[in-house]
Amino acid sequence: MPTYKIRGIDVDFPYEAYDSQLVYMDKVIQSLQEKRNALLESPTGTGKTLCLLCATLAWRKSLGSFTTGMSTQTGGKSEGKIEVSLSQSESSTFSTIVYASRTHSQIRQVIQELKRTSYRPKMGVLGSREQLCIHDEVKLLRGKTQTNACRSLCRRKRGKHHCSHFHRVADYLKDNSHLGEEPVDIEDLVNIGRTFGPCPYYLSKELHKFVDIVFAPYNYLIDRGYRNSLQLSWNNSVLIFDEAHNLESICADAASFDLPSWLLTACIKEAESCINLSIERRDKTNDKSQNPDDFAILRALLLKLEKRISEVPIESKELGYTKPGPYIYELLADLNITHKTASKLISTIDVASTLIEEHNQQKSTGTVCRLDRIGEILEIVFRDGRTSHAKCYRVHVREVEAWAVNDSKGKVSRTLSWWCFNPGIAMEDFRNKYGVRSIILTSGTLSPMESFAEELKLDFPIRLENPHVITPNQIWAGVVPVGPSGHTFNSSYRTRDSPEYKKDLGNAIVNLARIVPDGLLVFFPSYYLLDQTIGSWKSVSNENSMSIWDRICKHKKPVIEPRESSSFPLSIKDYMTKLNDTSTSGAVFFAVCRGKVSEGLDFADHAGRAVVITGLPFATSTDPKVRLKREYLDKQSRPQGELFKVLTGDEWYNQQASRAVNQAVGRVIRHRHDYGAIILCDERFSHQHRLSQVSRWLQPHIKCFSRFGEVVFTLTRFFRDVGTQCPTKAPLLEAKKEGNIGEVPASELHMEKLVSPLTTPMAQNFSLKASSFLDTKNGRASFLGEIVPANRSSLSFDNCKTVHCKSSSDISGKVLLGRKTLLSPECERDDLADSYQPGEKSKDTPVAPCSSRKRKFVAGEYDLKQYFGNSNEHSSLGVVDLRDKDGVTSTGVELTRQKAHLPADSVPSAGDETQGSVFLAQVRGKLSAAEYIDFVGCMKALKTKAMKISEVLQCISRLFSGPDRLPLVKRFKDYIPAKYHSLYEQYVEEKTLIT
């Protein structure tokens, strides 16, 4: 197992690490060492989770040994108590790592990754009674009924009604003090309980008190109630939020509430039922534990609240009724609900909900108690006995047509909302109260990043937008501004309802369904557009023609994402069934950005060979929550001395749309050997400000196309070529794994394929002299070469070798696949009805990448001729001639090669390699640091086809202008194919005249 020394810490990694993984681990350790927060983005499949675990645990181990052992004793309080102490008490003084993810299934995957590492910290995993209870009767209950039943049984030590599982916990922990020193997940704890008898729920509760790392769902940290129940030492702890791309909305939603009329009506009925149930119990069993008068008061308060909401004056259905956040206290004070009375009312609601749930269990109705929600609302409003947080809220009452069952259907329903517009409220305790050491937010899609710090009101000085570990030939990414008939693609409200737009979009999908193999994902901005567009595709213009929908179905069987969450699992099953049907060429999943398909699902390999984004998923601007959020942000002024920039309403609105696109795009290309296409069917994606918000790893690959025919041609070629080059999923991924980089054997990981993918053959004795990464912000080069295995002299990848370089502190966080690109002219909206067939000459300028952002590059000392190795290559199609006015092959249409026809100078010889290294040394000596960076950037841009040869020659002639650099001019000519000599001499002469 390789060991890498990063920032003075030895990090054991189970596989040979890519440079991007080393950079990621460097940023994690920097955050921990410097006690600063970090935002870290790394695409799915780059080994993010494995890197995060290894770096964090290596840092923790550097502080001292991991915790071992424990001793236990039982006490006799309330629900029973188990005292736990460590055999190594000094270990508890070290930082506790709290690793949070969205769901238990994601946590299970993280623990599986932990098992791959060499690290064995004392660990715990938190779960609910619903997941962990093994008591024959209690495990059948739900909600507070289950909680109360559990606590009641745990209090009793003997008799029929006691929990033997709880009382076995102490003995089991005493005999198995090593529990948690090997990775265990919730299923492991349940199996221990079933086999040996201890309660899994209380095992997890005891384990988490003194651990090195604890795994938990988000709500255990964000929800104040859950957080306060944790017995952790928060001071100097490390919080990690994995899959954090939705953390802002999760925090805001956790601090907000909506109370619709139907829910309030249901609560009133439940309060009335409690009155009757308590009277019935008192009469039959003389049980006076529940007072009917308390429930009567609760019912009266709810009736009065219902009346107050109904009397709110709403002049405009669209605007509703809005008040500042503190108005909620005025509204509730009229009901005599204040900070003093709220706690008593919450206690009454707890008793009432228990009574209701016990009754429902006896009747086996399975009905959920609604009163619990009223208690949660009061806890949100009256948190900590303070009111200062209310300024970040808005009270809103709106009218909608009721959808509830029975007689309320069709009637007007009102909803009282208290919306939090400052997600940082959920995180402020960590910053101000608990003294947390570092907070690390990480995900595959955090871009655009700026809003995270601004929304969460946390400072994130350490940031990283990592590249992907795939090579450029594994991805096709392009902006498609027009359809087959030349109609502009723009999904804004001005054009999205036009028949021409829908028809051309449909014809484009027909073509894509024909070209893309296996699974195709098509994302619409909203359910409205999805329904409207598919509805128009199903209509037939005349009896003799097939509908667009039928033509799509001819190539791929369709599945449409349902609005109802309950139907979603069936739609996924349907998609996989159709995908595996050998009678068709695959399936197409029509879905919605921000829907379930776009969130967290893994469409690896043949399940998702291409994703189509049909437009920018802006939230409905007239939606009251969106409108008020934008108004709230616009009204925020930056206080004197405030550390955080205030996000404007428009900035937030645009960034939310871009993040939804990035999340949807992330469904494809899920691991190192995966490949796929990302097709952006909206002209607005060609605008630079929009492209700048696309995930950084994707930006270098995006090209703008001016005609749909070019898209068809290049996309067809891509899938034809990549299908023969990339391995199938069967030998690479086993048993439906997540496709992380760690799942690929170390023998298959080759650094040179990541650092400098070649399109021409490479000499057998080729050696990589250095891997440098350019930080365009400060203009200095930084290196990774010093981060080599500490247990070996060098890291070998076939015939390549890495040398020692500068300190890892200089590592740029934005590396690899970051070569300089040129902004193409705005895509022309020519009539694209004419087909683009092989054999034609392209009338357009070369298709250039859209992004003008400087992309950082990896500079290696290669023989310079390899950069021109493709200049004379012939197309395997024989008749294809796609050249611009300079005679240079278009950068957007990469021709298929015939290796047998490669020119002799396309493969560097050993002698050429040595001469090239000497020449580069001369260049480095003559040019300034900035000029040398430009020189290497030009060469890499040429190699990756981000620049035309003519542009590169012009750039080089400029750099080499001047009498003292004349030898460079002459020497460089030796590396240029003869056909470009005259062009090069022309540029040199022009620069000489100017000088």
Side-chain angles (χ1 to χ4, degrees):
M1 179 176 291
T3 300
Y4 298 88
K5 185 171 285 294
I6 304 177
R7 292 182 173 267
I9 293 177
D10 289 342
V11 180
D12 294 333
F13 200 69
Y15 309 96
E16 303 287 9
Y18 285 108
D19 283 1
S20 59
Q21 293 174 321
L22 295 175
V23 172
Y24 186 93
M25 290 190 283
D26 178 90
K27 292 298 181 183
V28 172
I29 293 176
Q30 181 186 358
S31 170
L32 300 175
Q33 288 179 333
E34 298 177 2
K35 297 185 178 182
R36 298 197 291 173
N37 302 330
L39 281 177
L40 307 176
E41 179 185 81
S42 195
T44 300
T46 56
K48 167 177 56 69
T49 300
L50 198 61
C51 292
L52 188 56
L53 288 171
C54 289
T56 305
L57 294 174
W59 168 81
R60 167 59 185 82
K61 190 176 180 180
S62 71
L63 303 179
S65 301
F66 290 135
T67 303
T68 58
M70 65 175 67
S71 60
T72 62
Q73 62 182 37
T74 57
K77 289 185 180 180
S78 61
E79 62 188 80
K81 186 177 180 182
I82 303 171
E83 300 290 347
V84 179
S85 61
L86 297 177
S87 59
Q88 291 186 351
S89 59
E90 69 275 8
S91 294
S92 62
T93 62
F94 297 130
S95 300
T96 301
I97 302 163
V98 184
Y99 194 115
S101 196
R102 285 187 301 165
T103 64
H104 282 288
S105 62
Q106 289 173 340
I107 291 173
R108 186 184 307 117
Q109 293 163 12
V110 174
I111 295 175
Q112 289 300 314
E113 290 295 296
L114 177 60
K115 293 178 181 179
R116 297 175 184 270
T117 74
S118 64
Y119 297 102
R120 291 298 177 262
K122 190 80 170 180
M123 65 148 289
V125 57
L126 296 174
S128 64
R129 286 182 174 87
E130 190 172 317
Q131 295 168 311
L132 290 166
C133 181
I134 58 173
H135 189 279
D136 291 338
E137 296 177 2
V138 178
K139 70 180 181 181
L140 302 176
L141 306 176
R142 291 293 178 267
K144 289 196 174 181
T145 304
Q146 184 183 51
T147 301
N148 292 335
C150 173
R151 289 174 175 171
S152 177
L153 294 178
C154 290
R155 290 192 197 104
R156 301 170 184 171
K157 295 185 178 180
R158 296 183 181 85
K160 180 179 179 182
H161 295 289
H162 84 289
C163 181
S164 61
H165 299 294
F166 170 77
H167 296 289
R168 293 178 186 173
V169 171
D171 289 339
Y172 184 83
L173 290 177
K174 182 179 179 180
D175 297 335
N176 298 272
S177 60
H178 62 276
L179 184 64
E181 293 173 19
E182 287 292 325
V184 292
D185 58 21
I186 286 176
E187 287 73 16
D188 295 325
L189 292 176
V190 171
N191 290 334
I192 288 172
R194 289 172 177 167
T195 305
F196 302 103
C199 172
Y201 176 74
Y202 282 99
L203 277 180
S204 71
K205 284 197 69 173
E206 299 309 316
L207 275 177
H208 95 272
K209 294 177 182 178
F210 300 100
V211 293
D212 300 305
I213 184 169
V214 61
F215 298 92
Y218 277 176
N219 58 321
Y220 279 69
L221 300 183
I222 295 173
D223 185 276
R224 298 169 63 83
Y226 278 116
R227 188 168 67 230
N228 292 335
S229 70
L230 300 180
Q231 298 181 37
L232 291 172
S233 176
W234 292 104
N235 186 47
N236 204 37
S237 62
V238 175
L239 304 188
I240 298 173
F241 289 89
D242 199 359
E243 301 299 332
H245 49 272
N246 285 334
L247 189 61
E248 298 161 289
S249 59
I250 290 173
C251 289
D253 291 345
S256 305
F257 74 79
D258 292 298
L259 181 60
S261 296
W262 65 267
L263 178 58
L264 187 54
T265 300
C267 291
I268 293 170
K269 291 181 179 179
E270 287 182 349
E272 189 172 348
S273 297
C274 287
I275 298 173
N276 298 329
L277 288 171
S278 59
I279 293 175
E280 184 180 338
R281 283 194 178 189
R282 187 178 60 183
D283 293 343
K284 288 186 177 180
T285 62
N286 200 31
D287 181 0
K288 298 182 181 179
S289 58
Q290 285 95 21
N291 187 350
D293 293 342
D294 292 340
F295 304 135
I297 293 172
L298 174 62
R299 177 177 178 273
L301 288 174
L302 295 177
L303 282 169
K304 192 172 182 181
L305 177 60
E306 184 181 50
K307 186 172 184 292
R308 279 297 309 271
I309 295 172
S310 66
E311 291 174 348
V312 167
I314 297 180
E315 298 179 359
S316 168
K317 187 175 181 179
E318 182 177 309
L319 298 178
Y321 177 83
T322 303
K323 284 284 188 178
Y327 175 74
I328 193 71
Y329 299 107
E330 180 182 334
L331 176 66
L332 295 177
D334 289 346
L335 311 178
N336 197 30
I337 303 175
T338 64
H339 281 92
K340 293 182 179 180
T341 62
S343 57
K344 170 62 177 175
L345 189 57
I346 291 172
S347 298
T348 300
I349 290 172
D350 287 342
V351 175
S353 62
T354 301
L355 190 61
I356 291 293
E357 288 186 354
E358 287 176 353
H359 176 72
N360 291 340
Q361 292 292 337
Q362 291 173 1
K363 298 295 183 180
S364 299
T365 60
T367 306
V368 178
C369 180
R370 305 293 187 183
L371 273 171
D372 280 340
R373 185 55 183 156
I374 301 297
E376 293 169 358
I377 288 172
L378 293 176
E379 288 175 347
I380 290 173
V381 174
F382 296 102
R383 51 174 287 183
D384 292 342
R386 297 184 291 115
T387 61
S388 58
H389 61 292
K391 64 184 180 182
C392 303
Y393 285 75
R394 294 293 183 268
V395 175
H396 186 76
V397 180
R398 65 187 184 279
E399 279 187 348
V400 294
E401 185 175 315
W403 54 268
V405 294
N406 302 328
D407 57 346
S408 62
K409 187 173 182 179
K411 295 182 179 179
V412 173
S413 172
R414 290 192 171 190
T415 298
L416 170 66
S417 300
W418 200 48
W419 289 323
C420 174
F421 293 135
N422 176 14
I425 284 178
M427 306 290 285
E428 65 182 3
D429 283 350
F430 295 124
R431 182 185 64 203
N432 303 329
K433 181 178 178 181
Y434 293 141
V436 169
R437 181 187 187 94
S438 301
I439 299 176
I440 298 176
L441 307 186
T442 185
S443 178
T445 50
L446 288 179
S447 299
M449 280 189 171
E450 197 59 38
S451 65
F452 274 86
E454 295 167 8
E455 283 277 80
L456 295 177
K457 297 296 183 288
L458 292 174
D459 185 25
F460 291 95
I462 299 173
R463 303 186 185 187
L464 171 66
E465 294 177 84
N466 235 352
H468 215 299
V469 294
I470 60 171
T471 55
N473 65 341
Q474 290 174 253
I475 181 174
W476 185 103
V479 177
V480 184
V482 292
S485 300
H487 189 86
T488 300
F489 284 155
N490 188 312
S491 66
S492 65
Y493 69 93
R494 296 184 183 89
T495 59
R496 66 190 183 191
D497 290 323
S498 71
E500 294 80 12
Y501 168 78
K502 294 176 183 176
K503 181 180 179 180
D504 227 17
L505 179 61
N507 287 329
I509 299 300
V510 171
N511 278 278
L512 297 176
R514 173 178 56 84
I515 297 169
V516 176
D518 303 317
L520 173 64
L521 308 177
V522 180
F523 287 98
F524 287 84
S526 65
Y527 280 108
Y528 168 82
L529 272 179
L530 183 148
D531 293 339
Q532 292 292 315
T533 306
I534 291 181
S536 70
W537 291 347
K538 290 182 178 180
S539 62
V540 181
S541 57
N542 60 72
E543 297 180 358
N544 298 325
S545 64
M546 294 176 63
S547 68
I548 292 175
W549 183 254
D550 290 335
R551 289 162 57 206
I552 294 173
C553 296
K554 180 181 177 182
H555 300 292
K556 294 191 186 298
K557 292 186 176 180
V559 178
I560 301 174
E561 180 179 5
R563 290 175 182 258
E564 302 79 18
S565 298
S566 58
S567 303
F568 183 69
L570 292 176
S571 66
I572 290 293
K573 184 178 179 180
D574 185 29
Y575 177 72
M576 296 309 296
T577 300
K578 292 177 177 178
L579 187 65
N580 295 321
D581 186 349
T582 56
S583 65
T584 64
S585 60
V588 54
F589 209 137
F590 294 100
V592 174
C593 291
R594 297 190 185 91
K596 286 191 173 293
V597 174
S598 69
E599 289 288 329
L601 288 183
D602 187 4
F603 291 89
D605 300 293
H606 76 299
R609 284 300 178 213
V611 57
V612 179
I613 306 296
T614 64
L616 286 163
F618 289 109
T620 305
S621 58
T622 56
D623 180 276
K625 194 171 186 179
V626 174
R627 175 173 54 81
L628 292 175
K629 170 75 173 184
R630 295 176 72 175
E631 291 177 2
Y632 168 82
L633 291 174
D634 286 336
K635 288 179 181 178
Q636 296 303 298
S637 60
R638 184 175 181 177
Q640 190 69 30
E642 178 63 58
L643 295 175
F644 310 104
K645 176 192 171 189
V646 176
L647 198 68
T648 68
D650 283 344
E651 288 172 341
W652 171 83
Y653 189 65
N654 278 278
Q655 289 182 8
Q656 291 299 307
S658 296
R659 188 167 293 122
V661 169
N662 292 336
Q663 190 64 20
V665 164
R667 296 314 92 209
V668 298
I669 313 181
R670 305 287 292 181
H671 60 85
R672 168 67 181 86
H673 293 274
D674 205 353
Y675 63 89
I678 296 166
I679 307 164
L680 307 173
C681 292
D682 194 307
E683 63 163 348
R684 291 172 291 177
F685 283 112
S686 63
H687 302 157
Q688 181 55 31
H689 77 280
R690 186 65 57 197
L691 280 173
S692 67
Q693 295 186 345
V694 173
S695 292
R696 183 66 61 85
W697 73 267
L698 180 60
Q699 291 180 26
H701 304 286
I702 299 177
K703 295 181 176 65
C704 292
F705 294 89
S706 60
R707 298 197 304 167
F708 189 82
E710 295 169 347
V711 175
V712 171
F713 179 69
T714 57
L715 195 59
T716 302
R717 277 194 55 263
F718 168 77
F719 281 113
R720 183 192 64 196
D721 294 348
V722 77
T724 61
Q725 297 169 4
C726 294
T728 59
K729 69 170 184 173
L732 295 174
L733 300 179
E734 300 174 8
K736 296 183 179 179
K737 292 181 179 178
E738 284 298 302
N740 287 337
I741 194 69
E743 294 170 5
V744 184
S747 61
E748 295 185 25
L749 306 183
H750 302 295
M751 182 75 76
E752 79 280 1
K753 293 180 182 177
L754 174 70
V755 175
S756 182
L758 300 176
T759 55
T760 58
M762 190 166 54
Q764 292 300 314
N765 61 352
F766 170 84
S767 67
L768 178 62
K769 299 287 183 72
S771 297
S772 64
F773 298 87
L774 172 65
D775 185 342
T776 55
K777 283 190 177 181
N778 53 31
R780 71 174 186 269
S782 53
F783 300 86
L784 279 177
E786 203 167 73
I787 306 178
V788 297
N791 57 350
R792 282 183 291 168
S793 59
S794 65
L795 180 59
S796 174
F797 298 92
D798 292 343
N799 294 323
C800 295
K801 55 185 178 182
T802 306
V803 300
H804 292 273
C805 302
K806 293 184 181 179
S807 167
S808 60
S809 63
D810 292 330
I811 298 172
S812 169
K814 303 171 183 176
V815 301
L816 298 177
L817 300 180
R819 306 164 182 85
K820 184 176 179 182
T821 61
L822 300 175
L823 178 64
S824 67
E826 188 137 343
C827 296
E828 298 178 8
R829 299 177 188 172
D830 298 332
D831 183 3
L832 300 192
D834 57 321
S835 60
Y836 186 76
Q837 298 292 338
E840 291 183 357
K841 289 189 177 182
S842 175
K843 294 176 289 185
D844 300 317
T845 56
V847 182
C850 294
S851 175
S852 65
R853 181 187 296 273
K854 276 197 173 182
R855 300 161 53 194
K856 292 151 281 289
F857 52 86
V858 181
E861 295 186 4
Y862 316 119
D863 170 63
L864 295 181
K865 289 184 179 178
Q866 66 170 302
Y867 293 106
F868 300 99
N870 295 337
S871 61
N872 293 328
E873 289 172 3
H874 302 289
S875 167
S876 60
L877 300 177
V879 294
V880 179
D881 185 13
L882 302 172
R883 299 177 181 274
D884 64 10
K885 63 183 179 181
D886 296 320
V888 181
T889 303
S890 168
T891 57
V893 185
E894 187 183 63
L895 301 180
T896 306
R897 317 299 185 193
Q898 287 184 336
K899 291 185 179 180
H901 294 160
L902 287 175
D905 65 353
S906 67
V907 182
S909 66
D912 287 338
E913 180 190 338
T914 303
Q915 294 171 8
S917 298
V918 172
F919 176 64
L920 284 178
Q922 295 173 348
V923 172
R924 193 189 305 243
K926 292 290 185 181
L927 302 185
S928 67
E931 288 174 330
Y932 184 72
I933 287 170
D934 288 342
F935 169 76
V936 180
C938 286
M939 301 308 298
K940 295 303 294 184
L942 171 62
K943 179 168 184 55
T944 58
K945 301 187 178 180
M947 294 174 66
K948 298 181 294 184
I949 293 179
S950 59
E951 293 169 337
V952 171
L953 296 181
Q954 192 169 16
C955 176
I956 297 300
S957 64
R958 175 182 58 81
L959 291 172
F960 289 174
S961 61
D964 61 326
R965 298 177 183 178
L966 184 59
L968 299 183
V969 173
K970 296 178 178 179
R971 185 72 180 89
F972 185 75
K973 183 178 177 181
D974 295 340
Y975 296 97
I976 304 173
K979 64 180 294 183
Y980 298 115
H981 283 182
S982 59
L983 183 63
Y984 178 61
E985 291 169 352
Q986 175 186 335
Y987 290 139
V988 170
E989 184 178 354
E990 290 175 356
K991 293 298 177 185
T992 303
L993 291 174
I994 293 174
T995 304

